[in-house]
Amino acid sequence: MNICVIGTGYVGLVTGVCLAEIENNVICVDNIKEKINKLASGESTIYEPGIEELLKKNIKNNRLSFTTDISKAINRSEVIYICVGTPSLFNGQANLKFIEDVATEIGKYINGNKIIVNKSTVPIGSGDWVSMVISESIERNNPVKDIDFHVVSNPEFLREGSAISDTLFPDRIVIGSSSKEVVDKMTELYKPIIDQSFDCPKGIERLIPKGKKIPVVKSDLTSAEMIKYAANSFLATKVSFINEIANICEKVGADILKVSEGMGLDRRIAPEFLNAGIGWGGSCFPKDIQALSYIAGEYGIIPQILNSVINVNTGQRQKIVKKVQDELKIVKGKTIAILGISFKPDTDDVRESPSIDIMNNLAALGARIKFYDPIVKVKPEALDKKVLICNDAYTAAADSELLLLATEWKEFLKLDFIKIKELMSKPIIIDGRNFLDRDYLEKKGFKYIGIGR
Ligand code: UGA
């Protein structure tokens, strides 16, 4: 099929690349020329394992191209994906400005009957609103008035860091539309994934056996939009829940690792998202949970669980600062090393990263902060200007009185901790992800402080 993907952020780029990989002709659109030029030359604009190889391969096969010309892209496509951002406004509401701009452009240039796929995470009911914006734009801007188009909600469930695998080997595909014809067409588009009949690209592990069917949830538009918010909110709830249990474990002397293991083996609970730590962040959970809470408020519902999930998460970041204070007593003037600034490993994304919040709070208390991250090499805007960036973990550790592991990058497992101990002025480690080998570090003379153990 001829497909156009509007927006080349995480979701748009991964969607475009994977749809090309299952043999569609995909054209990706963005209004940032430098980004399009870079992508067209086969260079990825995001750090995501496996993406650059697929990008290069599909450009070479002529199945994937990039443009800033939205009219050309819309004109030649049967299916148009909207993959632009929906960041939070100050009150938690999702900002739909980018979606509105794209819908207006679609209305202006649409030249025949097409399917418009909403992949961006949008407030419940936005599918109908997008239809309205497109219709109004057709009325105002398009010489051809008699155009039949359908908006379908097809939420994505990809995680940064494993986005390609999550897209090619999903747990389910959700298609929300009132038109059977549109649902059938979308099902046909995803057939190679639903049937797991595509050849697994080189370098990507086949996670689901060839031929095994992927469940498809066919629903109305509103339910599909709700599935996305509810899924992210539930996952964030799981993390906040385990963090709260970890805090109780610390008081009663239980070990959260054993507690998570014992809980996760219950098939009704499942082991995923039971890793206690410094809390959740990223470009999705914070914005989506705020947005769902806001939507509930619009209907007079006080979402008690969602609000508590947010509060526990904020508290978890403060708890880490408190742990540092408990160890160092006076934080002012002390040097602290932080390992990891991305909100989770295998991504360069620092949006709403708990690590940044913790560093800013410690810097505000007067600490001298040095951080190292394997991928993030530029200080994010949101970071306190006084925080220093280091080229390696050893430079960060040098002269530090405490080291906090904030992101569980695999590379940190291979660090020479004997050297780190020699470099630090006091051998104290707070392992914010329960990631390092406690017994080994204690044997080597570190004071090890985990989360919930
Ligand atoms: C999340 C969802 O997992 C995806 O299904 C969804 O498609 C995506 O949001 C989105 O809406 O676009 P992502 O934000 O990439 O994906 O990251 P996750 O792997 O879900 O992690 C979120 C946060 O929770 C991270 O800060 C991570 O460190 C934290 N986390 C996760 C924990 O603290 N403990 C856990 O056990 C799991």
Side-chain angles (χ1 to χ4, degrees), residues 289-424:
I289 293 147
Q290 291 278 4
L292 186 54
S293 171
Y294 185 89
I295 294 163
E298 286 182 327
Y299 291 85
I301 295 172
I302 298 168
Q304 318 249 21
I305 294 179
L306 293 182
N307 291 347
S308 299
V309 167
I310 296 169
N311 291 340
V312 169
N313 198 49
T314 311
Q316 199 64 12
R317 297 172 183 199
Q318 288 156 358
K319 250 193 103 18
I320 303 300
V321 175
K322 170 104 184 5
K323 272 182 192 280
V324 174
Q325 286 178 313
D326 286 348
E327 285 311 311
L328 298 183
K329 308 299 177 205
I330 304 293
V331 170
K332 201 184 275 304
K334 302 274 170 69
T335 300
I336 298 170
I338 310 282
L339 296 186
I341 191 172
S342 57
F343 81 98
K344 66 174 201 176
D346 294 324
T347 177
D348 58 356
D349 200 337
V350 295
R351 284 174 286 180
E352 296 283 337
S353 173
S355 176
I356 293 185
D357 237 10
I358 293 166
M359 282 196 249
N360 285 347
N361 281 325
L362 290 171
L365 288 170
R368 179 173 172 257
I369 309 287
K370 298 195 281 171
F371 85 90
Y372 163 71
D373 187 279
I375 294 293
V376 181
K377 297 297 170 204
V378 179
K379 280 205 296 184
E381 284 272 304
L383 192 63
D384 188 306
K385 298 284 167 286
K386 295 187 292 295
V387 173
L388 303 166
I389 184 165
C390 300
N391 286 333
D392 57 64
Y394 303 103
T395 317
D399 306 322
S400 296
E401 302 205 14
L402 186 146
L403 181 146
L404 165 68
L405 182 137
T407 315
E408 66 275 40
W409 283 96
K410 277 205 188 87
E411 126 171 11
F412 297 153
L413 291 176
K414 295 190 204 124
L415 288 173
D416 178 350
F417 280 99
I418 297 171
K419 184 171 163 189
I420 286 188
K421 181 163 174 272
E422 279 163 14
L423 287 168
M424 289 179 73

Side-chain angles (χ1 to χ4, degrees), residues 44 55 58-60 72 101 108 112 164 195 201 210 258 263-264 271 283 289 305 309 346 389 410 414 419 422:
S44 179
L55 186 66
N58 286 291
I59 291 174
K60 203 168 159 217
K72 179 179 104 184
D101 291 349
K108 196 165 167 186
I164 301 284
D195 294 346
K210 213 165 175 171
K258 287 288 151 204
M263 284 174 64
S283 60
I289 293 147
I305 294 179
V309 167
D346 294 324
I389 184 165
K410 277 205 188 87
K414 295 190 204 124
K419 184 171 163 189
E422 279 163 14

Side-chain angles (χ1 to χ4, degrees), residues 5-14 16 28-31 35 81-85 102:
V5 177
I6 305 173
T8 56
Y10 267 101
V11 173
L13 187 57
V14 173
C28 293
V29 192
D30 206 291
N31 51 13
K35 210 171 168 187
Y81 278 78
I82 303 180
C83 296
V84 292
V102 167

Side-chain angles (χ1 to χ4, degrees), residues 26 43 74 193 218 247 278 305 336 401 409:
V26 181
E43 206 185 320
I74 291 172
I193 294 179
K218 298 175 184 177
N247 295 339
I278 64 174
I305 294 179
I336 298 170
E401 302 205 14
W409 283 96

Side-chain angles (χ1 to χ4, degrees), residues 11 121 156-160 228 232 235 239 272-277 279-285 288 343-344 354 408 433:
V11 173
T121 304
E156 53 81 22
F157 301 102
L158 58 88
R159 286 163 301 173
E160 292 180 17
K228 170 68 191 193
N232 268 2
L235 292 171
V239 178
E272 290 81 14
F273 283 70
L274 286 182
N275 296 324
W280 43 264
S283 60
C284 307
F285 282 9
D288 291 353
F343 81 98
K344 66 174 201 176
E408 66 275 40
R433 300 286 183 173

